[in-house]
Amino acid sequence: MTSIAQRQELQNKIWKIANDVRGSVDGWDFKQFVLGALFYRFISENFTNFIEAGDESIGYSKLLDDVITPEIKDDAIKTKGYFIYPSQLFVNVAKTANTNPNLNTDLKAIFDAIESSANGYPSEPDIKGLFADFDTTSTRLGNTVESKNLRLAAVLKGVEELNFGNFEDNQIDLFGDAYEFLISNYAANAGKSGGEFFTPQHVSKLIAQLAMHKQEKVNKIYDPAAGSGSLLLQAKKHFDNHIIEEGFYGQEVNHTTYNLARMNMFLHNINYDKFNIALGNTLIDPHFGDEKPFDAIVSNPPYSIKWIGDDDPTLINDDRFAPAGVLAPKSKADFAFVLHCLSYLSSKGRAAIVCFPGIFYRSGAEQKIRKYLVDNNFVETVISLAPNLFYGTTISVTILVLSKHKTENKTQFIDASGEDFFKKVTNNNELTDAHIQKIMELFDCKEDVEHVSKSIDNSKIAENDYNLSVSSYVEAKNNREHVDITQINAEITKTVEKVNALRLSIDEIIKEIEA
């Protein structure tokens, strides 16, 4: 079986488990239990693999807990960030899941133990609360212990049956892909509530390539609105041999999504010491100020959300917003995220940010912020994408690429919204690798291509009230059929003459009949 076929079969099975087991539980709510079980199996097998170090004769899952010495536990936590005793492994819990009357409470105790194993170690903040949303005592699973256990057992047995193949060869990729497949499917089926934190992989791939374009190495990569971590992970996937020296950083305001992002890092085999995901509101409680600047920033922040803005008079003195001399409107925080990214960006790096199109032409404070960005030559490229690429919205979003190392006082505009830049797939559109490559080639060469791309002097943008809409500078191709008015008039004249002649003939016939 090819890897593609294996992945497809795995995804079909996972989605079947998710739908068959949940019963009357809302799918969006139930996702935590499927994702949690998948994560529990992954870290169990990953930990077993670490302990055995390739020597299967050790048989870690068959050992008794009391043979584990404090030294073994201490060393494992320092390396992996957590510890799992043999009896706590997924394989052993799943084995008796159908007959264990205490399954829900046993699982809770195991998850609490895994998290608390990191207490006092550097990994504590990365492990703490990971299983918080896998609430095995939740009434969403049923109103009785028996009904809770039945559903939990069904999830565990379903995940147990999944074939991930040989661990060393492909398990990590398949686990991570399966996890993102589940998140994306839940997002697609949940509409806006899902799309808020999941950027489709094909769009993530483009954003990662834009942010890391032609950088031989980056110190670290950062996402101020990390969601489930899909943008950060695309950087790892696309640049597997690329050196991201100090790891992956992100901040997320939603607690459930913050946990998903941390799980996602582990599932893609990024060790706790190579990622740092923080919980909190990036705009009013930013983390990682001591870690900046970042050589690569990727982000798909929430579109036009409300924020405190000038209701907090201290924000205008914030290093992130002060240079622009104005705060983003309280009803539309888009440019607050943009200025935050710019502040965290290094002099050699790039930030690629998904933006709502309205911020590129609206007046008021947003126009003043655009003026600051253009006058200081921070805007490298503005890319208009096709509509319907994201879950929960049909709008044509725009990617803003910021840079602090431009050599020309020009801004590039790319119209990638036409039919040559997307493929229709069921209810959504999609960027193929060929479409992404075409956009990257345009971004790289900075050449003008009629109806597609154009570089404009910043002075011309200033004359146009700092409008940064792609449509203001790239003339859309006229696909309407050319109409020759003179020819049409001639044809109408001939038609009228024929009609008149026909009427005369009919009149003659009527006269003859009446006579």
Side-chain angles (χ1 to χ4, degrees):
M1 185 184 291
T2 65
S3 60
I4 294 174
Q6 184 184 19
R7 183 172 283 109
Q8 187 61 54
E9 181 186 353
L10 179 65
Q11 291 176 349
N12 291 340
K13 286 180 179 177
I14 287 176
W15 194 237
K16 189 174 186 302
I17 294 167
N19 280 319
D20 288 352
V21 176
R22 71 182 178 88
S24 61
V25 184
D26 180 75
W28 187 243
D29 289 335
F30 191 65
K31 74 180 186 302
Q32 304 302 341
F33 302 104
V34 182
L35 292 171
L38 195 66
F39 178 68
Y40 175 35
R41 177 177 165 181
F42 171 81
I43 63 167
S44 291
E45 294 184 15
N46 187 285
F47 189 81
T48 298
N49 189 60
F50 163 73
I51 293 290
E52 293 179 352
D55 185 358
E56 293 182 4
S57 65
I58 293 174
Y60 184 67
S61 65
K62 295 179 175 61
L63 296 179
L64 297 174
D65 290 357
D66 57 15
V67 305
I68 307 299
T69 65
E71 291 75 22
I72 292 174
K73 184 176 180 181
D74 180 66
D75 181 66
I77 298 171
K78 286 176 179 174
T79 306
K80 295 300 294 179
Y82 58 90
F83 191 86
I84 306 177
Y85 282 99
S87 66
Q88 298 170 335
L89 293 170
F90 175 92
V91 64
N92 288 328
V93 174
K95 192 184 302 178
T96 61
N98 287 329
T99 57
N100 182 357
N102 304 311
L103 180 62
N104 69 323
T105 52
D106 284 353
L107 279 172
K108 184 182 186 311
I110 288 170
F111 297 157
D112 288 346
I114 293 173
E115 289 184 15
S116 64
S117 70
N119 290 352
Y121 289 85
S123 59
E124 182 178 349
D126 300 305
I127 305 297
K128 189 175 183 179
L130 267 179
F131 291 99
D133 294 298
F134 192 173
D135 183 2
T136 61
T137 61
S138 170
T139 54
R140 287 182 298 173
L141 287 169
N143 293 320
T144 65
V145 171
E146 184 181 10
S147 60
K148 289 182 177 69
N149 287 343
L150 279 172
R151 192 160 276 150
L152 283 170
V155 174
L156 291 178
K157 298 305 282 189
V159 170
E160 180 187 38
E161 291 170 9
L162 297 174
N163 177 22
F164 287 97
N166 183 272
F167 190 95
E168 288 78 8
D169 292 342
N170 58 24
Q171 187 174 11
I172 291 164
D173 286 339
L174 287 178
F175 259 121
D177 285 349
Y179 196 75
E180 289 193 31
F181 165 79
L182 262 179
I183 295 176
S184 66
N185 270 270
Y186 276 121
N189 284 274
K192 187 174 185 295
S193 60
E196 278 177 349
F197 72 83
F198 185 79
T199 306
Q201 287 195 25
H202 51 99
V203 183
S204 299
K205 189 180 295 186
L206 171 62
I207 295 168
Q209 290 188 36
L210 288 166
M212 299 179 73
H213 183 59
K214 285 190 172 176
Q215 295 200 66
E216 293 180 3
K217 61 181 179 179
V218 299
N219 61 351
K220 44 206 164 188
I221 186 165
Y222 168 64
D223 185 347
S228 60
S230 58
L231 275 170
L232 292 171
L233 290 165
Q234 272 302 330
K236 177 182 184 292
K237 288 179 182 178
H238 186 74
F239 298 91
D240 237 7
N241 298 320
H242 202 302
I243 301 174
I244 300 176
E245 295 175 319
E246 297 171 47
F248 303 78
Y249 291 76
Q251 185 164 343
E252 172 55 39
V253 68
N254 180 286
H255 193 278
T256 295
T257 315
Y258 156 72
N259 283 337
L260 287 180
R262 292 189 297 157
M263 286 183 180
N264 223 352
M265 293 294 133
F266 282 110
L267 281 158
H268 285 83
N269 211 35
I270 300 176
N271 209 40
Y272 77 91
D273 57 347
K274 284 295 182 183
F275 75 83
N276 196 334
I277 308 294
L279 176 65
N281 186 321
T282 296
L283 299 182
I284 60 174
D285 180 27
H287 289 244
F288 310 122
D290 294 338
E291 297 288 345
K292 66 179 185 179
F294 294 85
D295 289 342
I297 296 177
V298 291
S299 193
N300 178 18
Y303 307 144
S304 300
I305 60 165
K306 295 178 181 179
W307 76 307
I308 192 169
D310 56 16
D311 280 350
D312 181 351
T314 66
L315 283 174
I316 194 59
N317 299 316
D318 191 298
D319 289 345
R320 300 168 296 164
F321 311 126
V326 64
L327 295 172
K330 286 183 290 187
S331 60
K332 304 173 183 72
D334 308 75
F335 266 125
F337 282 103
V338 170
L339 291 174
H340 172 90
C341 289
L342 182 67
S343 172
Y344 275 48
L345 185 63
S346 75
S347 59
K348 70 184 274 288
R350 283 190 180 92
I353 310 161
V354 181
C355 298
F356 183 78
I359 73 169
F360 294 98
Y361 59 79
R362 290 190 296 234
S363 58
E366 291 179 318
Q367 182 191 38
K368 292 177 182 177
I369 294 172
R370 293 197 305 271
K371 180 181 187 303
Y372 163 71
L373 295 174
V374 172
D375 286 351
N376 287 278
N377 205 27
F378 291 138
V379 182
E380 180 171 1
T381 302
V382 183
I383 306 169
S384 176
L385 294 182
N388 214 27
L389 290 173
F390 289 78
Y391 306 115
T393 180
T394 59
I395 63 170
S396 305
V397 299
T398 300
I399 298 179
L400 174 65
V401 183
L402 300 176
S403 169
K404 294 181 178 178
H405 60 271
K406 288 171 62 184
T407 55
E408 285 191 300
N409 229 31
K410 291 183 175 183
T411 299
Q412 182 191 35
F413 295 88
I414 298 175
D415 184 354
S417 63
E419 293 181 358
D420 293 340
F421 289 94
F422 71 89
K423 179 179 76 170
K424 182 143 186 76
V425 180
T426 59
N427 296 325
N428 282 77
N429 294 325
E430 189 174 291
L431 300 174
T432 66
D433 286 346
H435 296 137
I436 293 171
Q437 183 179 349
K438 190 186 297 187
I439 294 170
M440 290 306 302
E441 287 172 356
L442 290 166
F443 175 73
D444 179 57
C445 71
K446 298 293 190 289
E447 292 178 3
D448 291 353
V449 178
E450 191 176 17
H451 306 305
V452 177
S453 65
K454 195 170 182 65
S455 290
I456 303 291
D457 284 331
N458 288 344
S459 59
K460 297 290 184 185
I461 297 173
E463 291 172 10
N464 194 22
D465 295 327
Y466 295 95
N467 188 319
L468 288 175
S469 293
V470 173
S471 59
S472 297
Y473 305 100
V474 180
E475 184 181 357
K477 190 173 183 178
N478 187 354
N479 292 316
R480 292 176 296 179
E481 184 181 352
H482 176 69
V483 178
D484 188 331
I485 299 298
T486 303
Q487 182 183 347
I488 288 176
N489 283 334
E491 289 174 357
I492 291 173
T493 301
K494 286 181 182 179
T495 302
V496 170
E497 288 173 355
K498 288 179 181 179
V499 170
N500 288 336
L502 183 60
R503 281 175 176 166
L504 287 172
S505 298
I506 292 171
D507 288 344
E508 291 296 325
I509 293 170
I510 292 172
K511 284 179 183 179
E512 288 178 9
I513 293 172
E514 290 177 343

